[in-house]
Amino acid sequence: MKVSVIIAREEHFRFAQEICDTIHASAIQRGTGIAKRTPEYIIDKIAKGDAVIAVSGDRFAGFCYIESWQHGKFVANSGLIVHPDFRHLGLTKKIKEKVFNYSQEKYPGAKIFGIT
């Protein structure tokens, strides 16, 4: 199964609801208090270039977004999710590496935190 981890673009807006649903279902399954996100929030992150997505063909496989504050001095990688069909393939590590490296590139000198 080939999965690509890339910077999310406008063409990925169509996955926003599925990303939100997957985050919510995972929170329920694990009994955690992960903040519920709206499709509009996810679309905004993608539109601003602050998201990484994993795709396999036409399917959403994983996602993570970037939060920044104090004019990019601090950055958090948040909202990491892997679709259940793509778990146990090492995808979490690939997404974390991509979003961390991208955060360093986009926000040079920032202190970067992983929230999920």
Side-chain angles (χ1 to χ4, degrees), residues 7-76:
I7 307 308
R9 301 181 301 264
E10 186 176 319
E11 68 191 69
H12 301 119
F13 288 174
R14 65 189 171 104
F15 295 120
Q17 184 63 58
E18 186 178 5
I19 291 166
C20 291
D21 294 345
T22 305
I23 291 170
H24 183 68
S26 180
I28 290 171
Q29 181 183 15
R30 288 174 169 72
T32 60
I34 296 173
K36 190 172 181 182
R37 299 292 184 218
T38 65
E40 294 79 17
Y41 184 84
I42 299 299
I43 287 169
D44 183 61
K45 287 295 178 185
I46 294 170
K48 290 179 179 174
D50 281 336
V52 167
I53 193 165
V55 291
S56 180
D58 267 0
R59 297 191 59 206
F60 148 73
F63 185 79
C64 190
Y65 62 86
I66 298 169
E67 290 284 359
S68 65
W69 62 97
Q70 289 193 357
H71 306 289
K73 186 175 179 182
F74 298 96
V75 171

